[in-house]
Amino acid sequence: MSNPFIKKLSRFVVLGDEEVGALEHLSRNPRDFKGGHDLILEGAKPEYVFLLMEGWAYRYKHLKDGSRQILAYLLPGDLCDIHVFLLDEMDNSIGLLCDSKVVMIPAGEVLSVMDQFPKIERALWWATLVDEGTLREWLLNVGQRNAYQKLSHLFCELAVRMKAAGLVDDDGSFSLPVTQIELADTTGLTSVHVNRTLKRLRDEKMITIGSRRLHILDPERLAEVAGFSQEYLHVEGEPVEMKLRTRLGKVG
Amino acid sequence: MSNPFIKKLSRFVVLGDEEVGALEHLSRNPRDFKGGHDLILEGAKPEYVFLLMEGWAYRYKHLKDGSRQILAYLLPGDLCDIHVFLLDEMDNSIGLLCDSKVVMIPAGEVLSVMDQFPKIERALWWATLVDEGTLREWLLNVGQRNAYQKLSHLFCELAVRMKAAGLVDDDGSFSLPVTQIELADTTGLTSVHVNRTLKRLRDEKMITIGSRRLHILDPERLAEVAGFSQEYLHVEGEPVEMKLRTRLGKVG
DNA sequence: CGCAAGTTTGACGCTGCTCAATCACTGTGG
DNA sequence: CCACAGTGATTGAGCAGCGTCAAACTTGCG
C-alpha cells in the first residue's frame, strides 16, 4: 500500500476493493510543486481540495499586524482543506515547506465520491475529528505550556505522525523542513526564544536538530517533559470502525 | 422552531419533515442538571452523546500541573461530544456553567439516525467543520493576540453565537455565566490579568460586565480591537447546502 | 565567490505572572 | 435579621519568562 491517502483512511474504516479503486482514481495524477510556494491564499475562492501525496505543507493565518499563526502541519495522505465545502472563500492559507506532490481534486468530485461511498464519507469525517482533536491539543499547548514544553510536545507529535506515515529513518530521525521562525509561529513564541529553547533541548541531549532534520535522542524524557500521550492522533490499533463494532455491537 | 438543535442543523441543510421528526425524537426528554457539575470527565468511557438544549457548558482539559485549558463553550443546540465515536475514553471533560437541560443520546442511536438520514449525517459533519474553524480562531487568538485583544475577540464571538441562538436581549446584553478564572483558562492568561484587562475594557466604555451578564456597549470598536470577523461561525446567509448547490451546480 | 536566508548570541525591557491582602456578593443557618 | 463562610472580584508590589532590537555568524545555492 504505497498510497498514503488510502493508508490513512484505512486507519478508520475497512475499505473494499471498489472503495480502494475510487480512492486510487481520486489520487491519480499528483502534480509537482516547489517548496516555499503557497497552494492557496486566504480569500481565494476554493475550487479544489488539495491532497498531499508527498512533501510537507502547513496551514496558516495572518493577523493584520503581520503576525502569523501556523494552525497545522500537513503530511502525506492528508487532505489540506476538506472544509472547503463550507466556505465561499478560504479563511486560511496553505503553504508548502518543501518540494511536494499534490493532487488537486475538484470539490464536486469529492462530493460525488462521498455520495457513492458512505464508508469513505464516514472515514473523511473521522479524519476531520482527528484533526479537531489535534487542534485541541495545540490549543492546550499554546495556551498552557511554557516554551520548553511547547516545543517538546510539538516534536513528539510530529514524530508519531511521521512514523505513522512511514517516514522515520531507522536511526529515529526524520525530515523537518521547518525554520525556527516557523516553529515560533506554531507555538506563539518568537524565533529568538525558540532558538534558546532548542539550545537547551540540545544541551540536555534530548534532540539533535539541523539541516532540516530532527533526531529525537531521548523520546521518553521528551514525552515526559511535554506531558505527551499519543492517543489523540489515533494512529494505533485496529480501524475505528472495528473498535466501534465491538463497542456498540453494530456496524457504523 | 423552538428546538435549538433543529434550528442549528437548519443552518447547514434543508431538512424535510421526516428528518425534523427524527431530530425531534432524538432530542425528546432533556434532563435537568445543576450548574457547576460535570457531565463527563476525562478518562470516562463515553456511552452517550450530550446534546445541550438549554444552559451553558464548556469543554476543558487539565495538565498534570493542575493548569486548565478551556477548549470550547457550548450553547443550546450544540452537541457536546460527537467525536465520542472515535474514543475509547474521553480525552476531555465537559462541565456545566449554570443549570441546564441536556439530552443524553445513546451513541448507537446517533449512528443509526445518521445511517437513515444522510442529510443529517452531512449536517453533523458540517457542524463539526464549524467547530474546527472556531478552534482555529481560538488557536490564533491564544497564540498571537495580547490580553486586550484576546478578551475582545472572545466576547465578539460569544455575542454572535448567542445572537444566533436567539439569546441576546433587546438592549444587546446576554447571559455570561463565566468567572474571571474561566476567562483566564480560556485565553491562557491569569485571572489577575483578566481582571485588569476587563477594567480597561470597562474604563474605555466598550463593555459592561457583572452579575453573570455581558453587555457590549460598542460592538464596532470591540470588533476593531479584536480583529474580529464572524464568517467562520457560519451563522448567516442561506444554508450551506444551498450555497453549495449554487456554487457547484449539484446537490451535496 | 557572494548573496540571501536562517541561526546564534547579547543586552535590555515589557507584558503578563506570582503572591498576597482586601473587598463584595450570595446563600446558609441560628 | 444578622453573623458567617465561601466564592469571586479587585488591587498592589515585585518579578520573570519571553519579546525586542541588533549584530555576528553559518549554511546553502546560483
Side-chain angles (χ1 to χ4, degrees):
Chain A
M1 176 73 60
S2 70
N3 186 318
F5 187 40
I6 297 174
K7 188 171 172 182
K8 182 177 172 188
L9 294 193
S10 299
R11 301 208 307 248
F12 304 115
V13 300
V14 180
L15 296 167
D17 290 345
E18 279 204 353
E19 285 142 350
V20 168
L23 293 173
E24 257 160 8
H25 185 75
L26 267 191
S27 53
R28 73 193 181 281
N29 298 332
R31 281 180 47 186
D32 286 302
F33 287 85
K34 278 277 157 208
H37 291 222
D38 287 299
L39 284 180
I40 189 165
L41 288 175
E42 198 170 335
K45 310 282 174 203
E47 292 173 57
Y48 299 98
V49 175
F50 295 103
L51 167 60
L52 186 65
M53 296 296 280
E54 220 182 292
W56 275 75
Y58 69 118
R59 181 196 316 289
Y60 67 95
K61 211 162 171 163
H62 275 287
L63 247 41
K64 268 166 308 189
D65 71 359
S67 64
R68 173 178 71 161
Q69 176 69 45
I70 293 181
L71 301 163
Y73 288 108
L74 303 160
L75 305 187
D78 289 340
L79 281 172
C80 300
D81 53 355
I82 183 90
H83 59 294
V84 120
F85 297 126
L86 269 182
L87 302 176
D88 296 322
E89 45 182 68
M90 289 294 289
D91 64 346
N92 56 245
S93 309
I94 295 171
L96 293 174
L97 291 164
C98 60
D99 295 353
S100 304
K101 291 189 192 303
V102 177
V103 188
M104 296 171 65
I105 310 173
E109 208 175 309
V110 178
L111 272 182
S112 73
V113 167
M114 293 197 307
D115 283 335
Q116 249 183 93
F117 301 100
K119 247 192 197 186
I120 292 180
E121 174 165 16
R122 191 148 299 173
L124 291 175
W125 189 35
W126 277 329
T128 308
L129 290 176
V130 173
D131 289 347
E132 207 188 313
T134 306
L135 223 30
R136 278 198 291 268
E137 281 294 329
W138 279 41
L139 184 57
L140 180 64
N141 205 34
V142 171
Q144 302 297 330
R145 290 193 253 254
N146 62 28
Y148 184 54
Q149 300 168 320
K150 282 178 181 180
L151 287 171
S152 301
H153 196 275
L154 177 62
F155 292 155
C156 288
E157 176 184 307
L158 291 175
V160 169
R161 291 180 59 200
M162 285 297 275
K163 179 119 198 190
L167 297 170
V168 174
D169 272 16
D170 293 337
D171 67 357
S173 72
F174 56 90
S175 160
L176 184 69
V178 159
T179 66
Q180 294 182 2
I181 296 171
E182 279 140 6
L183 291 177
D185 290 345
T186 305
T187 49
L189 302 166
T190 57
S191 65
V192 172
H193 201 69
V194 164
N195 184 282
R196 295 189 165 115
T197 308
L198 288 179
K199 178 170 161 43
R200 178 174 170 197
L201 286 168
R202 251 189 271 108
D203 288 349
E204 294 177 345
K205 310 241 181 302
M206 297 169 77
I207 63 167
T208 280
I209 190 167
S211 57
R212 316 193 110 210
R213 285 189 82 73
L214 175 67
H215 192 169
I216 297 180
L217 304 173
D218 191 340
E220 285 77 22
R221 202 146 69 87
L222 197 69
E224 171 69 25
V225 165
F228 177 80
S229 89
Q230 65 167 52
E231 280 71 40
Y232 70 96
L233 294 169
H234 293 274
V235 295
E236 280 193 347
E238 44 176 11
V240 173
E241 185 191 10
M242 302 300 289
K243 286 192 204 167
L244 202 59
R245 205 184 296 233
T246 328
R247 215 161 81 219
L248 301 177
K250 91 177 275 309
V251 181
Chain B
M1 178 72 62
S2 69
N3 186 317
F5 187 40
I6 297 175
K7 189 170 172 182
K8 182 176 172 187
L9 294 193
S10 299
R11 301 209 306 249
F12 304 115
V13 300
V14 180
L15 296 166
D17 290 343
E18 280 204 353
E19 285 143 351
V20 168
L23 293 173
E24 257 159 7
H25 185 75
L26 266 192
S27 54
R28 72 191 182 284
N29 299 331
R31 282 179 48 186
D32 286 304
F33 286 86
K34 279 276 155 208
H37 290 222
D38 288 298
L39 285 179
I40 190 166
L41 288 175
E42 197 170 335
K45 310 283 174 202
E47 291 173 58
Y48 299 98
V49 175
F50 295 103
L51 167 60
L52 186 65
M53 296 296 280
E54 219 182 292
W56 275 75
Y58 69 118
R59 183 196 314 291
Y60 67 94
K61 212 164 169 162
H62 275 286
L63 248 40
K64 268 165 307 186
D65 71 359
S67 65
R68 173 178 70 161
Q69 176 68 45
I70 292 180
L71 302 163
Y73 288 108
L74 303 161
L75 305 187
D78 289 340
L79 281 173
C80 301
D81 52 355
I82 181 93
H83 58 294
V84 119
F85 297 127
L86 269 182
L87 302 176
D88 295 322
E89 45 181 70
M90 289 294 288
D91 65 347
N92 56 245
S93 308
I94 295 172
L96 292 174
L97 291 163
C98 61
D99 296 353
S100 303
K101 290 189 193 303
V102 177
V103 188
M104 296 170 66
I105 310 172
E109 209 174 310
V110 178
L111 273 182
S112 73
V113 168
M114 294 198 307
D115 282 335
Q116 248 182 93
F117 302 101
K119 248 192 196 186
I120 292 180
E121 173 165 15
R122 192 150 298 172
L124 291 175
W125 188 36
W126 276 329
T128 308
L129 290 176
V130 173
D131 290 346
E132 208 187 313
T134 305
L135 223 30
R136 279 198 291 268
E137 280 295 330
W138 279 40
L139 184 57
L140 180 63
N141 204 34
V142 171
Q144 302 298 329
R145 289 193 253 253
N146 63 28
Y148 184 55
Q149 300 167 320
K150 281 178 182 180
L151 287 170
S152 302
H153 196 275
L154 177 62
F155 292 154
C156 289
E157 178 185 305
L158 290 175
V160 169
R161 292 179 60 200
M162 286 296 275
K163 179 119 198 189
L167 298 170
V168 173
D169 271 14
D170 292 337
D171 67 356
S173 72
F174 57 90
S175 159
L176 185 68
V178 159
T179 66
Q180 294 183 2
I181 296 171
E182 279 140 6
L183 291 176
D185 290 345
T186 305
T187 49
L189 302 167
T190 57
S191 65
V192 172
H193 200 67
V194 164
N195 183 284
R196 294 189 167 115
T197 308
L198 289 179
K199 178 168 162 42
R200 179 174 171 198
L201 286 169
R202 251 189 271 111
D203 289 348
E204 293 177 346
K205 309 240 181 301
M206 297 170 76
I207 64 167
T208 280
I209 190 167
S211 57
R212 316 193 110 208
R213 284 191 84 74
L214 176 67
H215 192 167
I216 297 179
L217 303 172
D218 191 340
E220 285 76 23
R221 203 145 69 87
L222 198 68
E224 171 67 27
V225 165
F228 177 80
S229 91
Q230 65 167 52
E231 280 71 42
Y232 69 96
L233 294 170
H234 293 273
V235 296
E236 281 194 346
E238 43 175 12
V240 174
E241 185 191 9
M242 302 300 288
K243 286 194 204 167
L244 202 59
R245 209 184 295 233
T246 329
R247 215 161 82 221
L248 301 177
K250 89 178 277 309
V251 182

